[in-house]
Structure formats: structure tokens, C-alpha cells
Amino acid sequence: MKIYLPLFLILLFNFSLSFAQKDIKIEGKVVEEGTNIPLEYATITIKNTSGDKVITGGITDTDGNFKLNIEPGTYNIYVEYISYKPKEYLNKKLDKSINLGTVSLALDIASLDEVTVVAEKTTVEVKLDKKVYNIGQDLTTAGGTVSDALNNVPSVSVDIEGGISLRGNENVRILINGRPSALAGFGDTNVLSQLPAEAIERVEVITSPSARYDAEGTAGILNIILRQKETLGFNGSFNFTIGNPDNIGLNSSINYRTEKFNIFTNLSWRYFDAPRTSFTDVTYFDRLVDGETIEPEFRRIIEDQDVERLNRNYNANIGMEYFIDESSSITGGLFYRLGSDADLSLNSSERFNDGTVVEETLRREKETEQDNSYQITLNYVKRFGEDSDHRLTADFQYENDSEDGFTNLNEDYITTDQTDPEPFQQEQEFTEEVQKEYLLQADYVLPIGEDSRFEAGYRGNFENEITDYRLEQENILTGNLVVNDTITNIFDYDENVNAVYTQYGSKFGKFSFLLGLRLEHTQLKGKIDSRLTDDELVEAFGFPIQTDFDNNYLGLFPTVNIIYNLGDDDRDSEESITFGYNRRINRPRGWFINPFPTRSSRTNVFQGNPNLQPAFASAFDIGYLKRWDDFTLTTSVYYQYETDSFERVQENTGQQTTDGIDIIRTIPINLSNNARTGAELGILYNPAKWLRLNSSFNFFQFETEGEFNGVDYSAKNTSWFARFSSKVILPWKIDWQTNANYRGALQDAQSDTQGILSIDLALSKELFNNSLTLSLNVRDLLNSRRRKSVTTTDFFNRFRDSQWRQRQINFSVIYRFNQQLNKRDRSGRGNGNNGDDFDFEG
């Protein structure tokens, strides 16, 4: 409080002083021409006589009245309202208070059509280090999530479990407004399935990141830019969604902007049920151990799992941008998220010998989780001179995420051929996870002449994650729950990254380039607090593990990005060729390192590997873009070579459950080398105002080489995915959109995965001058978004059929007020996130 009180007094003094200096009053009333209906939230802007500088501004009240204060002088006065023709009073000399009287604005029919087209049109911009997709109004994601919106972006694919991949590679770095963020769940992309799709303005697909970006993510970076309204005055939107399976959501986005400050907030609440299913059929083979053949207790086991997932999520984002002067601003923000989940899983297991069911059990798992996270951000921007590209930015960010989980597990026999079966133990799991992350960043940009630019900067990321896990198991004799101290553990993990970078870009005629170099020091530090000795850990996990490690890595990451424009001088952005090279790193996350296995299934577990080392990759990309009036073509070919790449392998642990079932584990390892080659094609076609077509196709081949525990996991395979979208304007201005996605079959060293087809449909109708939108959509129309795979090893053959989310039907109502989606900030000042691009586009 001692810090904030002086700051508040200073701001109050400046605010009062500014008003004390303005002694001329301008007032009036704004109404609709012909009806004389008052126009609330109409914008009044006062500029200098050249029209390039905003002096002050304001909005009308509920009765259409406005009143402003200004110093004496000569000004241009603009009265505007969305979808109405503006009124201008040019070179108005003000030496005393004035009443403009009643200002009538006429409805601009032409602008209504224009705004609609601009808002809905999906465009692509090719820059030196990225492709920017302005996704517009995607009807199929209305009432949906950020993950749903990403699934409609070319080159991006979201699988049935919410995992995000770029060009078929899952090692993608997710950024929010150019930075790591609690909104992205500290790297857990499933959190993106809890944020509303309406929050997105555009998505930057960065397959060849420049040195400005973190080197994390061998596939590249997805930078999600959230909407931030920049219209002067008070504006916003409200969104209500209801759907089946149960899906109720409320979202509000409110913004108030003056020439001195901008206050923005986004509040959302969502309740939904996301039932999922999983079917597993495993056949076990004889095992040869020390020359002796060991037969499995059961030849075949079928597990059929149904999970009911009830989720309640609250998200609040509020911030303020304060313009200190014409050349500098400071922005502060607070993001808060509260999640409350309750899952009920019923897993029916049938065990066979000689084709006959000899035993059947039912495993119940009740899980509750409370997720409480917040993020504090502070951004400062200083521009030097009249050139806004010459600037210094500084960022501070603190994030805290706390998760408390409780799970109760019990299993009972339905039928059994045992005469005196040993009962199953009831189990209770208690998990506390606390993650903290600090980010410090400074960037300096210096324009050199008209066509060159130098950049340099520093970023420090410091993350700590503590997982406190306790397992209590039933004592069969007494019925009491006793702590299992061989599995109970505390895992303390740190990831600290310090980086400096520099880059230089220039343009010579049609040729532009951006060269950069980034130096990163990575510290991966962890400690496992467990009762087990080193020998017991080897026996429990099957390989030696590090319980206290401190690994440090120093890496250089060069980047090269080039654009050559092929078009005529007056059309130099219509056709271009791009080339990119960059070196990347893939750091293992905490859950990939924690060696204590999951317990949702006694027979199929996931286990982390604390011996994992970072993977490094070099990537090359050559692209081509050609744009006509209504047709845009983008193509590229790419190659990536990764060393020490991560691979999840499945193996028999050699251990058995208390009732004699072999335990199969999935474990990530460094599987030597991975080469990936691919090509992609994208088409945007608008043959008429009533029709828009969008399609993309990606084909890739990957080859891995390596072995683990004496097993060769080398493999070579090809796969592909395609996307098609059409949008048709039907009579009565009803929009109809269809999206179709297909992911081709995929094979690796152990598994064959079938292709997946998904179709989404949507209908939308704009009402009341585009201020109200009614939308009905169906995601996964055929209920076909299921993953089916067959895994074969020397010890077992497993078929799996899983569906992460079933067909969803949503109805949404969106209301907007005083909001013009294609209007830019008239003062020319940004919020600290703008102006980061090297503006040599292709």
C-alpha cells in the first residue's frame, strides 16, 4: 500500500492539472438521422488541424449528450458512430465555449457490408519469420475454445486429447501475446481447451522463429494474439453459449479507452461435461526369462472405460494501459483462473484364458481437482523521437499455479474362477502441485536508415515446480488406510533459462533478410525426495535414475530468414519466395521427468524418466506465396534433423499386479536421431462475395534411429493431414460454414494408428446492424473423431479405441456495442505488443 499511495497521488495530480489547463467547453448531442434516436457511445475526437494528432476525445451518454474540455485553439472535430456516416468540423477556431447543437448521423449501408466482409475474411500475411492468420469470424468455433480455433489454422493440428502439433510435430511452443503465459497453462496445452475462442484476434504460425523468440520448441512456435479493442470510448461484447453435452458459458469483454489510458477486461465462466471413452484389448505372449518360458496369468484382457468429466472454470483478465506521454506507455495486467473438476471413471475389465472369461472386475476412480492460478504482468514501452520503430521495451511477469487433487480408487470382482480371491486394496491419492515462474525481458530496436533495423535483447525465465504426492492404501486385515512410503514422494524441479540475442535485418530492392544469433544457458535441476534407496529405485523402475541432478547447457541458436519478392515494383507483395533456417531446443517438462508412475490403471501406466536430456534440432524451410485479387496460394517444403529426440516407448516392466497381470508402462526416452521432411500447400479462394473457400494439405515423412533396453525402435513412415473449409452466404444473409479435417494413418516403431475424419457445421445470422449474432454449430458431426491404434511388441499386442470428446452441439448469442472490429487506433500508439514485426512482408 505504501508503494501504491504515492503513485495514485501523482496520477491524481497530473489528471487534475490536465483538467485545470482546459477551460473551453464543447458540448452537443448525437442522434440518428430520421428517427432522432440518441446514439449512446458515439465517439467525439478532437485533432490538430493537420489531422495526424489526437488532442482529446470522449463518448456520448445514454441520452446522446457529450461534453469535453480543451485549451483554446484551432482544431478538427470528428463525430463518429459504428456503421454511420461521420460528421467533420474542420479548422474550427475555439476561443470560447461552444455548443454544436444536435448532430445527426445517417446510417451508412455501404459500410455495413464492408465491415462484415473485413471481419469475416480470413487472410494470410507472410513475414520474414512467420505466417500471420487473421482468422476472422469462424462460425464453427462460436461457443468453443482456443483449441477449437487452432484446429482450423493451416499447418496446425489438435488431436482428440487436446495435444497440439505443428506440421505433425507435437513439440510446439505456445505463446500468448508473444510471451509464455499462465493462459497457456505453463506448457499444458489442455488449458487452452478452457479458454473461449472469441478471445483470439489472430494466430502467428512461426515455423522459422527469429532470434527474438525463445529457442524452445523444435517444431516452432504458435503465438496466440488475444483481442484488445482499440476504439476510443466505451465498447465491448457479451457472449452466451448453451450446448449438448452440457455446455454453458458466459463471456464478457469490456474496454474503455481515452487518449490518456485504456482499461480492458475479459471475464468468463464455463460449466461443461466432456465425457470420454476408452476401449483396450490386450493379448499377452509368453516371455523368456533366463532361458525359462513364463506364461501370462491371463492371455487376453479387455478394458472398457467410461469417464464423466464435469468442469467449472472461471477466468478473469483485467489490465490498464497508461500513456505517460506521446512516446511512452506502461501497461499492467492481472489474469486469474479458477478451475474445479470432478471426474468419475468406471473401468470394466474382462480377463480371458482359452477364449473364455475367467474373471471380471470393475474399477472406480473418483477424482476432484482445484486449480488456482494467477499472472501479473507489467510492460513498459519507450519510443525515441518521431520514429516509433526506434524503441525500448521492458517486461516483467510473475505466475503462480496451485493444483490440489484427490483421487479415490477401488476395484471389486464381478465374477472370478478363484475359490478364495484376495480382495483389492482401496487407494487414495493426494497430490499438491505448485508452479511459480518469473520472466524478465528487455528488447531494444534501432532503425538504421529506411530499410535496415538492428535488435538486441535479454530474456530470463525462472520456473520452479514442486509436486507433493502421497498414496494411502488399505490394510486388508484392518481395513485402515496406511501411507505407502515407497511410492509417496516429493519432486522439486527447476528450469532456469537466461538468454541474450541480437539480429539485423535489411532490404535491398526486392531482397530482404533477417540474420540473428541467440545464446541460451539452461539449467535443469531436480530433486526426488523418496524413502527408496538407489538400488530399490533401480529394482522398482528397471534402470538407474538420478534422484538429485543439476544439468547445465549452453547453446548457440543461429537464425536466417530471407524473402525475395518476384512481383512488379508496384505489386511487390503479391509474389514472393522465402527461406528460413533455425536451430531449436526441446527441454523435458516436469511430468516427463518424474519417475513415479500414474495409477489410473494398474496394468497400463505412464512413467517419467529423470535421465531425459534436452533434444536439439536444425530446421530448413523454403516457401512460396502468390496472391491474386481473390486467390492466395502458399506452399513450402521443409526439413528438420533432431538429435536425442524424445520418443514414448511401451514395454513390459517385468512386474505384475497382485493378481498376476503383467504391468505395461509408457516411458519417454532420448531415442537418438529423428529426420523429418515434408511439404504443405494452402489455398484461400474468394470467387464471390457469397462464397469463401479455404484448404490446406500437409505431407510429411519421418525417420527415427535408436534403441532402448536392447530393443531397436528405428522406424520410417509417411503421413499427411488435410483441411477444407467453405463459407456460403445464404438468402436472408445467413452464413453457413463447413469445416472438414482428416489426419492420415500413422505408423512408428511400435504402433499403427488409423486415420481420423472430423466434420464441423455452423449457421449464423447477424441482427440489429451486426450488433447481435445468433450461431448454431455442430462439432464432429459424424462423431468420428476417435483414435484407433494397434501396438505390437515382443510381449503383447494391444488394440486401443479412444474418444476424448463426443459430438458437441452449441447455440451462441453474441452482443456487441460500439465495437468496430476493423478500426485501428487513431492515435498511432500501441499497447506494447504491436510493432514487433520486421515489416518486410511478402
Side-chain angles (χ1 to χ4, degrees), residues 225-503:
I225 306 299
L226 302 182
R227 293 187 186 276
Q228 292 188 357
K229 306 300 184 298
E230 297 178 339
T231 305
L232 284 172
F234 184 62
N235 56 84
S237 64
F238 298 93
N239 187 344
F240 171 73
T241 297
I242 187 170
N244 180 268
D246 292 347
N247 180 27
I248 302 176
L250 294 171
N251 177 269
S252 67
S253 178
I254 307 296
N255 184 84
Y256 179 67
R257 184 185 182 99
T258 70
E259 285 306 311
K260 201 62 180 174
F261 62 85
N262 181 30
I263 300 176
F264 50 89
T265 181
N266 187 286
L267 305 174
S268 66
W269 171 82
R270 189 181 182 212
Y271 168 85
F272 64 98
D273 179 14
R276 69 175 178 88
T277 62
S278 177
F279 176 83
T280 306
D281 187 349
V282 184
T283 299
Y284 295 91
F285 308 139
D286 294 340
R287 292 188 294 119
L288 189 63
V289 179
D290 297 330
E292 180 182 356
T293 300
I294 300 178
E295 296 184 357
E297 181 73 16
F298 301 101
R299 282 291 179 186
R300 183 184 180 195
I301 298 177
I302 294 178
E303 293 187 11
D304 195 353
Q305 183 184 40
D306 290 301
V307 183
E308 181 183 78
R309 298 180 295 170
L310 299 179
N311 299 268
R312 291 174 298 277
N313 298 304
Y314 307 84
N315 298 283
N317 184 24
I318 184 169
M320 177 177 177
E321 180 181 14
Y322 178 74
F323 302 108
I324 302 172
D325 53 38
E326 288 296 321
S327 63
S328 59
S329 66
I330 186 168
T331 304
L334 171 65
F335 169 77
Y336 177 74
R337 175 165 54 86
L338 175 64
S340 179
D341 302 341
D343 297 356
L344 174 61
S345 169
L346 299 179
N347 191 350
S348 175
S349 178
E350 294 180 325
R351 293 140 196 183
F352 295 78
N353 277 326
D354 300 324
T356 303
V357 177
V358 296
E359 190 170 276
E360 183 178 359
T361 64
L362 179 64
R363 183 176 177 86
R364 300 177 182 88
E365 178 180 347
K366 294 183 66 176
E367 179 181 4
T368 60
E369 182 177 279
Q370 295 288 330
D371 184 1
N372 193 336
S373 66
Y374 64 90
Q375 171 183 287
I376 300 171
T377 61
L378 195 63
N379 168 261
Y380 172 76
V381 179
K382 173 63 177 177
R383 293 177 173 83
F384 301 95
E386 297 181 358
D387 189 349
S388 62
D389 285 339
H390 185 197
R391 66 187 183 275
L392 173 68
T393 62
D395 293 274
F396 169 78
Q397 184 171 288
Y398 171 71
E399 307 177 20
N400 185 294
D401 185 32
S402 176
E403 295 182 11
D404 293 324
F406 170 75
T407 305
N408 184 81
L409 304 103
N410 62 76
E411 191 166 355
D412 297 307
Y413 290 101
I414 305 299
T415 60
T416 180
D417 63 350
Q418 301 181 56
T419 55
D420 188 18
E422 182 178 348
F424 297 104
Q425 291 178 301
Q426 180 185 354
E427 295 183 354
Q428 289 186 349
E429 294 179 303
F430 300 85
T431 305
E432 292 184 20
E433 293 184 13
V434 178
Q435 302 179 65
K436 298 179 180 179
E437 184 171 353
Y438 296 87
L439 181 143
L440 298 171
Q441 182 173 336
D443 299 280
Y444 175 71
V445 179
L446 175 65
I448 302 175
E450 295 184 359
D451 295 326
S452 300
R453 193 163 83 172
F454 168 81
E455 295 184 45
Y458 162 81
R459 173 184 283 188
N461 242 80
F462 312 98
E463 180 181 353
N464 173 256
E465 176 184 345
I466 299 177
T467 303
D468 189 342
Y469 176 83
R470 184 173 86 252
L471 174 66
E472 296 181 357
Q473 293 179 306
E474 180 185 11
N475 184 314
I476 299 299
L477 297 179
T478 64
N480 297 326
L481 292 173
V482 180
V483 174
N484 183 333
D485 56 6
T486 63
I487 295 180
T488 298
N489 70 94
I490 299 177
F491 181 49
D492 191 341
Y493 178 67
D494 289 286
E495 178 182 301
N496 301 319
V497 181
N498 285 280
V500 292
Y501 79 91
T502 182
Q503 61 184 16

Side-chain angles (χ1 to χ4, degrees), residues 120 190 396 411 547 570 640 702 711 742 756 776 795 826:
E120 295 180 357
N190 286 327
F396 169 78
E411 191 166 355
T547 58
D570 59 342
Q640 181 188 86
F702 63 89
V711 178
Y742 183 80
I756 300 175
L776 176 68
F795 306 106
R826 286 168 288 205

Side-chain angles (χ1 to χ4, degrees), residues 452-688:
S452 300
R453 193 163 83 172
F454 168 81
E455 295 184 45
Y458 162 81
R459 173 184 283 188
N461 242 80
F462 312 98
E463 180 181 353
N464 173 256
E465 176 184 345
I466 299 177
T467 303
D468 189 342
Y469 176 83
R470 184 173 86 252
L471 174 66
E472 296 181 357
Q473 293 179 306
E474 180 185 11
N475 184 314
I476 299 299
L477 297 179
T478 64
N480 297 326
L481 292 173
V482 180
V483 174
N484 183 333
D485 56 6
T486 63
I487 295 180
T488 298
N489 70 94
I490 299 177
F491 181 49
D492 191 341
Y493 178 67
D494 289 286
E495 178 182 301
N496 301 319
V497 181
N498 285 280
V500 292
Y501 79 91
T502 182
Q503 61 184 16
Y504 175 78
S506 188
K507 180 178 181 180
F508 300 97
K510 299 182 178 182
F511 178 80
S512 305
F513 69 86
L514 182 61
L515 307 178
L517 185 64
R518 189 179 186 92
L519 174 67
E520 288 193 352
H521 176 267
T522 301
Q523 180 190 43
L524 302 180
K525 182 180 180 181
K527 183 176 182 180
I528 302 171
D529 185 1
S530 170
R531 187 194 67 81
L532 297 179
T533 66
D534 290 344
D535 291 339
E536 288 174 329
L537 286 168
V538 172
E539 182 180 352
F541 303 126
F543 56 91
I545 67 172
Q546 303 178 58
T547 58
D548 190 353
F549 58 89
D550 187 354
N551 300 326
N552 292 266
Y553 308 91
L554 187 66
L556 276 174
F557 301 93
T559 62
V560 178
N561 290 286
I562 298 172
I563 284 183
Y564 182 72
N565 289 313
L566 301 174
D568 298 332
D569 291 340
D570 59 342
R571 294 168 57 88
D572 58 357
S573 64
E574 299 299 321
E575 186 176 13
S576 62
I577 295 177
T578 61
F579 170 80
Y581 163 77
N582 64 93
R583 187 170 185 258
R584 312 289 295 164
I585 185 175
N586 183 13
R587 305 179 184 96
R589 307 300 297 179
W591 70 286
F592 254 43
I593 294 179
N594 193 335
F596 289 87
T598 60
R599 300 189 65 80
S600 58
S601 172
R602 295 186 304 118
T603 59
N604 294 277
V605 300
F606 177 87
Q607 179 181 338
N609 179 5
N611 298 333
L612 271 183
Q613 303 294 307
F616 294 87
S618 293
F620 301 85
D621 186 290
I622 299 176
Y624 171 77
L625 177 140
K626 175 66 175 178
R627 183 182 292 122
W628 294 268
D629 290 338
D630 53 12
F631 188 89
T632 301
L633 171 70
T634 59
T635 62
S636 65
V637 293
Y638 54 89
Y639 173 79
Q640 181 188 86
Y641 187 78
E642 185 176 4
T643 58
D644 290 328
S645 61
F646 301 165
E647 186 78 22
R648 302 183 193 186
V649 300
Q650 302 175 63
E651 62 177 8
N652 195 312
T653 62
Q655 302 172 353
Q656 294 184 324
T657 62
T658 55
D659 50 347
I661 302 175
D662 289 346
I663 298 177
I664 300 171
R665 73 175 173 194
T666 301
I667 183 171
I669 63 172
N670 291 109
L671 192 64
S672 189
N673 303 327
N674 183 346
R676 181 181 294 266
T677 307
E680 60 183 349
L681 172 69
I683 294 174
L684 296 172
Y685 184 39
N686 295 88

Side-chain angles (χ1 to χ4, degrees), residues 2 17 56 73 94 122 147 275 290 314 316 362 377 505 644 797 832 840:
K2 294 180 179 179
L17 185 61
T56 188
L94 302 176
T122 298
S147 292
D290 297 330
Y314 307 84
L362 179 64
T377 61
D644 290 328
N797 179 277
F840 300 147

